[in-house]
Amino acid sequence: MTGEFALIRRYFHPPTRHTLLAGGDDAALIVPQMAHELALSTDLLVGGQHFFPDMDPHRLGQKAAAVNLSDMAAMGATPRWVLLGLTLSSFQESWVAAFSQGFRKILDAHEVDWVGGDTTAGPLALAVTIIGEVPDGQALRRSGAHAGEDIWVSGTLGDAALGLDWRLGRCPDLAPAARDFALERFECPTPRVALGQALRPLASAAIDISDGLLADLGHLLTASGVGAQLELARIPTSAAQPSGPTDSDWQRRVLQGGEDYELCFTAPSSRRSQLEALGRAGTVVLTRIGRVTAAPEERFIQDEKGQSVAVSWRGYDHFAGAA
Ligand SMILES: Nc1ncnc2c1ncn2[C@@H]1O[C@H](COP(=O)(O)OP(=O)(O)OP(=O)(O)O)[C@@H](O)[C@H]1O
Ligand SMILES: Cc1ncc(C[n+]2csc(CCOP(=O)(O)O)c2C)c(N)n1
Ligand SMILES: [Mg+2]
């Protein structure tokens, strides 16, 4: 095939901002800031598992960047460098160009340098490694929650699952505006990077919601050795949801649906007014949805009458299918 290396150089070696050596050597060289820790994370996106193989490549590029930035947000880290591993069944220049533009669009918005990667033939799949920086000792972890603290979530939940439902033909009657909004949330999630950094002095623990609110909050609770009581009526949803909290599809999308890439975090009640102000001043709403309890095994959701809502706290599982 003509010029495959030239195409890789053209589309996959953009200029960098804060990198000693990128793109073209056997490894990239980076220089971390003094008094900072590095935060490292890898995410796979596999055709047919994480995205429909006919997905618009520009949007796929955006999503690949966004889901990795979301892990940096969850740690309170500033994302700085990425590496992209890519397998392609064929090297089509138009696809590669659109993918690369989408990937770069999100990276550029966050001033992240694309410093290297690897490209081979194979079934369409991506592996993105991201490296961020966080001031010494200030990273948000899953393990810092304490009994008595509040549980918060950013944005609205269940939108991405609604977009996936629509793609799967599970809710054909969705109004066009709701459908477009849900598809946008499913295919182009917004990583809450600025929020994650702003939470460093305020939150005690954090996680991003990739596998569903209950599953991911469950990981945080397990890591912290605590329990939770949630209030169903407080869970924030968008106007796109075609049904309400008593509907099992609503519960599946909002409580168990993944890929909203919102942040779920805990904070002492003394931080409430600061978090409310942060929510008002920022680009994303913050909602208090419950509280942390001392019993490590407690997983309780109450409806408006105070009754327990029976719903599984399991989320998306690649080896078991959707929850
Ligand atoms: N193949 C692997 N090798 C080493 N560690 C792994 C591997 N797979 C997962 N892990 C680790 O397990 C932990 C949970 O991984 P997971 O991928 O579920 O993260 P997540 O942020 O919850 O989800 P997402 O994939 O949506 O980012 C992470 O600390 C991750 O580094
Ligand atoms: C074609 C297609 N089928 C199903 C889904 C749903 N889905 C896939 S992975 C995942 C959780 C996050 O993954 P991970 O934990 O690996 O980051 C979800 C909710 C999709 N996006 N595309
Ligand atoms: Mg995560």
Side-chain angles (χ1 to χ4, degrees):
M1 182 186 291
T2 48
E4 190 179 306
F5 285 106
L7 289 177
I8 288 175
R9 213 172 303 119
R10 182 179 315 156
Y11 294 112
F12 291 175
H13 290 184
T16 55
R17 304 164 189 82
H18 41 248
T19 303
L20 192 59
L21 180 67
D25 219 304
D26 292 298
L29 298 173
I30 59 175
V31 183
Q33 289 183 71
M34 291 284 286
H36 282 66
E37 291 158 5
L38 294 179
L40 297 91
S41 176
T42 285
D43 259 323
L44 286 169
L45 289 177
V46 177
Q49 297 289 331
H50 293 89
F51 59 91
F52 295 93
D54 64 353
M55 182 176 175
D56 171 56
H58 192 267
R59 286 186 156 219
L60 178 60
Q62 291 183 69
K63 184 161 181 173
V67 303
N68 282 271
L69 287 166
S70 177
D71 281 320
M72 294 292 102
M75 299 298 291
T78 304
R80 301 271 283 167
W81 301 279
V82 296
L83 298 144
L84 170 71
L86 181 61
T87 51
L88 292 170
S89 47
S90 67
F91 203 101
Q92 275 182 289
E93 183 168 356
S94 59
W95 192 98
V96 169
F99 171 84
S100 142
Q101 277 162 17
F103 194 58
R104 283 183 63 180
K105 178 180 163 188
I106 304 300
L107 298 181
D108 287 346
H110 295 274
E111 301 192 334
V112 174
D113 283 356
W114 180 359
V115 299
D118 194 20
T119 309
T120 76
L124 181 58
L126 303 117
V128 181
T129 297
I130 190 158
I131 303 170
E133 292 178 310
V134 61
D136 281 346
Q138 292 184 34
L140 297 172
R141 303 179 185 207
R142 296 178 178 182
S143 56
H146 297 98
E149 291 180 340
D150 296 324
I151 301 172
W152 294 78
V153 74
S154 67
T156 54
L157 301 182
D159 300 320
L162 183 62
L164 175 60
D165 274 2
W166 189 82
R167 274 297 317 248
L168 293 172
R170 284 187 186 162
C171 49
D173 296 335
L174 210 55
R179 177 201 64 203
D180 291 347
F181 172 80
L183 277 177
E184 180 81 15
R185 292 271 291 154
F186 173 52
E187 296 191 330
C188 300
T190 304
R192 304 301 183 189
V193 177
L195 173 64
Q197 290 169 53
L199 288 177
R200 285 201 306 250
L202 302 173
S204 53
I207 192 165
D208 67 323
I209 302 178
S210 54
D211 292 340
L213 170 69
L214 299 186
D216 286 320
L217 174 58
H219 294 317
L220 184 155
L221 299 173
T222 301
S224 298
V226 292
Q229 291 181 355
L230 300 182
E231 288 178 54
L232 191 66
R234 285 182 176 267
I235 312 281
T237 57
S238 71
Q241 288 300 330
S243 59
T246 53
D247 176 47
S248 62
D249 280 331
W250 185 98
Q251 292 182 4
R252 173 178 55 77
R253 292 181 196 121
V254 173
L255 303 177
Q256 301 170 323
E259 300 189 285
D260 284 316
Y261 295 101
E262 295 296 347
L263 297 185
C264 178
F265 57 95
T266 55
S269 54
S270 59
R271 300 295 189 194
R272 271 186 202 175
S273 58
Q274 281 168 286
L275 286 164
E276 281 158 5
L278 184 63
R280 281 192 299 273
T283 53
V284 63
V285 293
L286 301 180
T287 309
R288 193 158 47 80
I289 59 170
R291 60 186 199 91
V292 181
T293 64
E297 67 286 356
E298 186 173 23
R299 302 281 188 272
F300 183 76
I301 311 178
Q302 63 176 14
D303 64 16
E304 275 167 310
K305 293 179 196 142
Q307 303 287 313
S308 169
V309 179
V311 54
S312 162
W313 282 58
R314 292 187 56 201
Y316 196 86
D317 182 338
H318 284 286
F319 297 100

